[in-house]
Amino acid sequence: MLIQVVKSKIHRVKVTGADLNYIGSITIDETLMEASNIYEGEKVSIVNLNNGERLETYAIKGPRNSGEITLNGPAARKVHKGDIIIIIAYGTLTCEEAKTFKPSIVFPNEEDNSLT
């Protein structure tokens, strides 16, 4: 049997922008993507702690060490600059693999989204 488990998580980051006129996706600081093991183009779930919205989109790289977290396209209607969100990516594993798998979870500084 295969199950979906949390593979990657960026816990509590501040949204720095919302761009309705962009094609779609979420722009994530490249440093945060690397630290959390999220790949460009990977499907991610977004949970908005300010309003309870949940949505899915895909990740694109933002400038390294910029702290950028921007929701693009229709997702921009679900967040506001300054909202705190959680970004989650899932992986598919066998039940045996899931028993020992360790997800990549990062806890950035909520003020500037840095990993200090």
Side-chain angles (χ1 to χ4, degrees):
M1 177 185 332
L2 297 175
I3 61 171
Q4 288 192 332
V5 299
V6 173
K7 175 190 79 69
S8 307
K9 182 175 173 183
I10 302 174
H11 191 76
R12 298 184 64 97
V13 287
K14 186 183 292 186
V15 173
T16 60
D19 185 357
L20 184 60
N21 295 313
Y22 191 84
I23 289 174
S25 70
I26 181 171
T27 305
I28 304 170
D29 177 325
E30 186 175 6
T31 302
L32 292 174
M33 287 180 67
E34 287 177 356
S36 63
N37 199 28
I38 292 176
Y39 297 93
E40 189 159 32
E42 184 173 7
K43 179 180 173 181
V44 292
S45 295
I46 310 298
V47 180
N48 187 329
L49 297 175
N50 292 80
N51 62 18
E53 289 282 356
R54 299 178 74 93
L55 61 108
E56 292 179 336
T57 189
Y58 61 94
I60 62 173
K61 289 180 189 174
R64 183 177 293 281
N65 298 317
S66 65
E68 182 176 359
I69 301 290
T70 301
L71 275 294
N72 303 305
R77 294 205 182 271
K78 305 286 187 178
V79 301
H80 293 97
K81 184 176 179 178
D83 283 358
I84 302 297
I85 63 171
I86 299 170
I87 304 167
I88 308 163
Y90 299 92
T92 304
L93 303 174
T94 66
C95 293
E96 283 304 308
E97 290 171 324
K99 289 177 183 178
T100 58
F101 179 76
K102 301 291 184 231
S104 299
I105 301 175
V106 296
F107 299 88
N109 177 324
E110 279 183 42
E111 293 306 310
D112 62 6
N113 294 337
S114 69
L115 290 175
T116 57

